[in-house]
Amino acid sequence: MKYLIIFLCLASITLNAQDITGRVLFDGMPLAYANVYLKGTSKGATTNEEGSFIIKNNPAGNYTIIASYTGFEPQSKTIKITNEDVDVNFNLLDSSMLDEVVVTGTLKAVSRLDSPVPVEIYTPTFLKKNPTPNIFEALQNVNGVRPQINCSVCNTGDIHINGLEGPYTLVLIDGMPIVSGLSTVYGLSGIPNSLIEQVEIVKGPASSLYGSEAVGGLINIITKLSENAPLVFADSFVSGWGEWNLDAGFKARIGQKTDVLLGINYFNYSNPIDNNNDNFTDLTLQDRISIFQKWNFKRKENRVFSMAGRFFYEDRWGGEMQWNPSYRGGDEIYGESIYTTRYEILGNYQLPVNENMMLQFSYTDHNQNSVYGDTPYLATQRIGFSQLTWDKPLKNHDLLFGIAARYNYYDDNTPATFRADEIVIPSIFVQDEIKLNEKNNLLLGARYDYDKRHGTIFTPRIAYRFKPTENNIIRLNAGTGFRVVNLFTEEHAALTGSRDVIIAEALKPEQSINVNMNYLSKLFTKKGHMFTLEASAWYTYFSNLIAPDYDSNPNQIIYANLNGKSVSKGVSLNIDASLSNGLKILMGATVQDVSQTENGITERQILTESFTGTWGITYRIYKYKTAIDYTGNLYGPMRLPLLGDLDPRLPESPVWSIQNIQFTFEGLKNFEIYGGIKNLLNWTPNKGNPFIIARAEDPFDKDVVFDSDGNAMVTPDNPYGLTFDAGYVYGPNQGRRLFLGLRYILK
């Protein structure tokens, strides 16, 4: 009887014992050979190639189950076993993701949490959530950053950061300032996503390190090292409008000490569409190719030596639907046609000395051949840049010394450019990051530039970092910025031929003072969730602001230094959540006020939204190896450029939103299939407006009657007294469309 009782008890325990099953993943992909075990017991398992595991015959009770993998942050969950099997999934986080490395804020590779300057990081995974043919468009889902389309005909644009216009943003590739006003968008086009390591964004002035144009912020595109790049990659998608984009490339080893990366981007759109029936193309037609190549050379003591080059060519046009190249530059059929050829070279070379000294250099050659109706714009811009830095750490001090020289050449055929603008601007800068104690750091920096046209320009900055805990940080930054203006490289509206350009005075360089407060916190829960919260508040004061005046005379753009002040202020909040069930949420909101005060009158800056919201929500269905991405943005009202009191178009934009959804199937080896819908709401700026392009039926103003002062008069054929104008645009004029793509990666 005793043995029978023991047998029945054991049988009862066995019958009540349940299995624990599940998967261990990283960013939705299976992790093979990960360890999974029950804390305080000897029971555990190892995942197979599918990332699956099973721990058999577990008695009823409460347990803590832990998943671990070398190089990843261990994750634990609490489970309860009753009379059913338990299924539990883990989504581990790469340890490096918990403490990302950034270089843009201080010109040094430092932990994001240790950097005294707040830097935002966006990886190729972020860019894949809403596939675009270039990074310019991808930035529409970054909080506080807005790609601005400046012309509804040719679709040229720039990047706004915290409400400041494109010329205030400096774009870099691998830390080299290779672009400026004429070519900001081109610098963000044509680099395949698979060759991008990360995109770093700094909001606020950084002129003490980077000089002119780094007034509103920085966008630094960092390309991959060869060891991090795929062996072969290809990514192509098509849209229902007829757009076709291709990214392709490979890496190879040449000899024992040289690695090369090659990437090619090709984009084509050749299907004229006019959904708003104004006889003008809704989307500019484009034929673009970009070839990027990067060489990495192995040297003694792992010293750095890399070189990269890029060739970019684009043929784009927009205009009346019946336009073709035979009408280029004439006054019969209106079209805006732009041929762009661009070359870029950049390099990094660590000097063969005991000290850590780095020589960086870049050169760009940009040639633009454009016509806007019958107005030609022929421009050449060359920028050479060289910089030598000395990184010298001492006890409680981390010093950085640098000298730089920038060569600018600009020439065009406009009346304002009587002769080519050619200048060399030498610079010297110093930075000292002082470790006060374990929780407090102070950064002091200053830069001296000499421009013979404007004299000495001095830009200091100070940054303070307080780190009360390992995952919490408070930063306070203050500094100055400056910008030397090349007017016609930045104002497309001045080139369309619809308005006369008036330069009221000799323009002085713009200067700014900025204060920025930032708070960042990371939170890890026992259930394997990770949350990142980042909040910022800023205030920027501009003097000598160069503001285009569209209001005084509807037929003119008047440029002058503002006799007053301009202020940009606001707050922003970002929330990044990674949940263990496969859900990832990135949301952000910004509220801002950008205004100009002159002669006691304050006005909001034109084409500047009062608030923005962005989101990206990803949910992975592990069972079906599928991911769903829902991305979008929301923009508040902005003041729009009208042509006069009788202009019937909306003086202020409505609240508008672009939303997208994407489905990705990852169940094929080395392949991903993705597709979805862009602009789900089918929003376009012509909704609620009688028209977008003023007098689209008379683009050369042949039937406009002008008075003796050159103002358009009201006539039966022109009841609003307007002239042709394509500058009334604040968002993309491309409606809802399907897209389908295929991605191949061989690592």
Side-chain angles (χ1 to χ4, degrees):
M1 177 63 74
K2 179 174 66 174
Y3 294 109
L4 177 60
I5 293 173
I6 294 173
F7 173 77
L8 291 175
C9 290
L10 291 174
S12 175
I13 293 173
T14 303
L15 290 173
N16 287 318
Q18 307 298 329
D19 295 342
I20 303 173
T21 60
R23 300 184 72 196
V24 179
L25 306 150
F26 163 62
D27 199 23
M29 303 302 292
L31 277 178
Y33 311 113
N35 295 314
V36 184
Y37 60 94
L38 299 179
K39 185 177 180 180
T41 75
S42 59
K43 301 180 75 69
T46 302
T47 58
N48 61 20
E49 292 184 354
E50 295 295 321
S52 300
F53 68 88
I54 181 171
I55 304 176
K56 295 184 176 181
N57 299 327
N58 302 284
N62 296 320
Y63 296 90
T64 297
I65 184 170
I66 298 174
S68 64
Y69 192 86
T70 303
F72 289 78
E73 188 74 6
Q75 193 176 110
S76 63
K77 294 185 178 184
T78 300
I79 60 174
K80 183 177 182 179
I81 297 178
T82 54
N83 56 356
E84 293 182 355
D85 291 343
V86 176
D87 187 70
V88 57
N89 293 316
F90 295 90
N91 194 12
L92 299 188
L93 297 172
D94 188 338
S95 297
S96 63
M97 294 176 61
L98 307 179
D99 200 12
E100 305 101 327
V101 173
V102 297
V103 298
T104 306
T106 61
L107 278 178
K108 296 185 179 188
V110 297
S111 157
R112 185 186 180 194
L113 288 179
D114 289 337
S115 172
V117 178
V119 181
E120 296 181 13
I121 298 176
Y122 298 92
T123 65
T125 300
F126 172 85
L127 302 177
K128 290 179 182 178
K129 295 178 185 295
N130 179 33
T132 59
N134 54 59
I135 301 176
F136 171 75
E137 294 181 33
L139 293 177
Q140 65 186 285
N141 291 324
V142 175
N143 183 28
V145 178
R146 183 169 69 86
Q148 166 66 40
I149 297 175
N150 292 331
C151 173
S152 56
V153 177
C154 66
N155 291 166
T156 55
D158 56 40
I159 296 293
H160 289 200
I161 292 183
N162 286 347
L164 298 180
E165 295 182 331
Y168 297 95
T169 298
L170 182 63
V171 178
L172 309 99
I173 296 181
D174 288 335
M176 290 289 94
I178 63 168
V179 296
S180 63
L182 179 63
S183 50
T184 295
V185 174
Y186 300 105
L188 292 170
S189 299
I191 300 178
N193 288 347
S194 296
L195 290 185
I196 296 174
E197 183 70 29
Q198 61 191 38
V199 178
E200 298 182 2
I201 298 177
V202 175
K203 299 173 182 175
S207 292
S208 64
L209 275 183
Y210 294 96
S212 179
E213 292 148 15
V215 179
L218 301 171
I219 299 174
N220 189 6
I221 303 167
I222 299 175
T223 58
K224 289 184 180 293
L225 297 174
S226 58
E227 56 263 33
N228 298 332
L231 184 63
V232 179
F233 69 89
D235 187 352
S236 180
F237 70 84
V238 295
S239 80
W241 276 46
E243 300 162 286
W244 179 53
N245 185 75
L246 171 67
D247 285 342
F250 64 88
K251 71 175 180 181
R253 172 158 292 182
I254 300 175
Q256 297 296 317
K257 297 183 178 181
T258 305
D259 294 313
V260 62
L261 297 177
L262 175 68
I264 298 174
N265 170 258
Y266 178 72
F267 177 77
N268 180 272
Y269 171 67
S270 53
N271 180 36
I273 292 177
D274 177 25
N275 285 338
N276 60 9
N277 299 315
D278 61 1
N279 195 40
F280 271 73
T281 53
D282 290 345
L283 180 66
T284 301
L285 287 84
Q286 301 174 56
D287 193 27
R288 179 180 73 228
I289 187 168
S290 175
I291 302 173
F292 178 85
Q293 192 171 71
K294 183 176 183 179
W295 295 73
N296 292 290
F297 304 93
K298 291 186 177 181
R299 300 171 60 209
K300 293 181 179 179
E301 300 179 8
N302 293 320
R303 290 193 176 100
V304 175
F305 182 28
S306 67
M307 292 193 65
R310 187 165 73 117
F311 168 76
F312 178 98
Y313 176 78
E314 182 181 63
D315 174 4
R316 68 160 60 201
W317 74 269
E320 294 186 90
M321 293 290 287
Q322 59 269 40
W323 189 91
N324 64 56
S326 67
Y327 296 107
R328 193 175 195 266
D331 62 356
E332 184 177 352
I333 302 296
Y334 188 89
E336 297 185 2
S337 171
I338 303 173
Y339 301 149
T340 301
T341 304
R342 180 177 178 83
Y343 302 90
E344 301 169 357
I345 298 174
L346 57 102
N348 289 275
Y349 180 78
Q350 187 175 359
L351 270 57
V353 296
N354 293 330
E355 299 292 340
N356 186 6
M357 303 183 73
M358 186 75 71
L359 176 66
Q360 299 172 296
F361 53 90
S362 66
Y363 176 78
T364 64
D365 189 297
H366 185 105
N367 182 271
Q368 190 160 314
N369 181 329
S370 309
V371 292
Y372 301 90
D374 56 359
T375 302
Y377 173 61
L378 308 176
T380 299
Q381 185 178 54
R382 304 186 187 106
I383 298 177
F385 180 83
S386 181
Q387 176 174 276
L388 177 65
T389 59
W390 177 26
D391 187 353
K392 183 64 175 178
L394 300 173
K395 183 179 180 181
N396 297 329
H397 290 265
D398 196 352
L399 295 165
L400 179 72
F401 302 94
I403 56 173
R406 180 167 176 170
Y407 167 77
N408 283 351
Y409 174 90
Y410 174 76
D411 192 19
D412 65 32
N413 66 320
T414 65
T417 308
F418 299 106
R419 59 180 179 272
D421 181 15
E422 188 172 18
I423 192 169
V424 175
I425 302 175
S427 310
I428 184 170
F429 58 90
V430 61
Q431 176 180 278
D432 183 12
E433 186 174 353
I434 307 166
K435 184 177 181 180
L436 303 176
N437 52 49
E438 290 299 322
K439 295 183 178 181
N440 294 273
N441 278 41
L442 179 68
L443 181 142
L444 303 173
R447 182 183 179 104
Y448 170 90
D449 292 80
Y450 179 75
D451 186 323
K452 66 181 181 181
R453 299 165 299 184
H454 307 294
T456 297
I457 302 174
F458 179 67
T459 48
R461 77 165 170 173
I462 182 172
Y464 169 70
R465 179 184 64 84
F466 174 55
K467 192 175 181 182
T469 67
E470 186 63 29
N471 293 313
N472 289 273
I473 185 169
I474 299 171
R475 302 180 179 96
L476 177 63
N477 281 255
T480 62
F482 76 95
R483 185 172 75 98
V484 177
V485 179
N486 278 322
L487 188 64
F488 286 90
T489 68
E490 299 155 3
E491 294 292 347
H492 168 266
L495 306 170
T496 62
S498 58
R499 296 189 186 219
D500 294 327
V501 175
I502 305 297
I503 301 176
E505 59 187 7
L507 299 178
K508 302 175 184 177
E510 298 179 340
Q511 294 181 321
S512 70
I513 300 174
N514 174 271
V515 178
N516 183 297
M517 175 74 78
N518 175 267
Y519 171 71
L520 184 143
S521 177
K522 288 181 179 286
L523 173 66
F524 307 93
T525 71
K526 292 182 178 180
K527 293 186 177 181
H529 308 319
M530 185 183 85
F531 299 90
T532 301
L533 171 70
E534 185 167 13
S536 295
W538 75 90
Y539 179 91
T540 305
Y541 179 96
F542 287 92
S543 58
N544 292 338
L545 182 77
I546 297 174
D549 178 2
Y550 293 87
D551 300 326
S552 297
N553 188 322
N555 299 305
Q556 296 178 342
I557 305 177
I558 303 172
Y559 294 96
N561 287 109
L562 189 69
N563 183 23
K565 65 178 181 179
S566 178
V567 172
S568 171
K569 57 187 176 183
V571 294
S572 67
L573 176 67
N574 282 328
I575 299 175
D576 188 351
S578 295
L579 309 183
S580 59
N581 63 356
L583 185 65
K584 183 175 177 61
I585 302 172
L586 177 62
M587 303 184 72
T590 296
V591 178
Q592 62 190 14
D593 180 17
V594 184
S595 63
Q596 298 170 1
T597 301
E598 189 168 23
N599 300 322
I601 299 174
T602 300
E603 281 190 314
R604 284 171 51 202
Q605 180 174 285
I606 203 166
L607 291 172
T608 303
E609 65 279 9
S610 55
F611 65 85
T612 64
T614 59
W615 64 87
I617 302 173
T618 300
Y619 181 66
R620 295 187 178 276
I621 307 174
Y622 300 123
K623 181 178 180 180
Y624 299 107
K625 301 180 180 179
T626 300
I628 303 172
D629 292 291
Y630 172 47
T631 58
N633 49 54
L634 180 72
Y635 296 113
M638 62 184 75
R639 192 166 68 91
L640 301 176
L642 298 181
L643 295 182
D645 294 336
L646 298 179
D647 194 330
R649 294 175 293 183
L650 295 173
E652 190 175 78
S653 67
V655 176
W656 56 282
S657 175
I658 300 292
Q659 302 177 26
N660 319 285
I661 191 167
Q662 174 184 250
F663 301 87
T664 304
F665 178 67
E666 302 165 339
L668 302 176
K669 186 177 182 180
N670 298 330
F671 283 94
E672 293 180 2
I673 301 173
Y674 60 92
I677 303 173
K678 289 181 179 291
N679 198 355
L680 279 166
L681 304 180
N682 198 31
W683 178 89
T684 55
N686 61 292
K687 293 187 177 181
N689 268 310
F691 49 82
I692 292 296
I693 300 176
R695 292 196 60 79
E697 73 280 5
D698 183 23
F700 295 101
D701 292 336
K702 294 181 179 180
D703 297 325
V704 177
V705 178
F706 296 93
D707 63 18
S708 58
D709 294 327
N711 298 314
M713 298 178 62
V714 174
T715 64
D717 291 334
N718 189 9
Y720 305 117
L722 305 180
T723 57
F724 174 75
D725 177 59
Y728 181 96
V729 60
Y730 55 93
N733 201 30
Q734 190 178 16
R736 184 188 299 121
R737 59 209 182 274
L738 297 171
F739 68 95
L740 181 66
L742 178 65
R743 188 176 292 124
Y744 173 78
I745 297 178
L746 179 63
K747 296 183 178 180

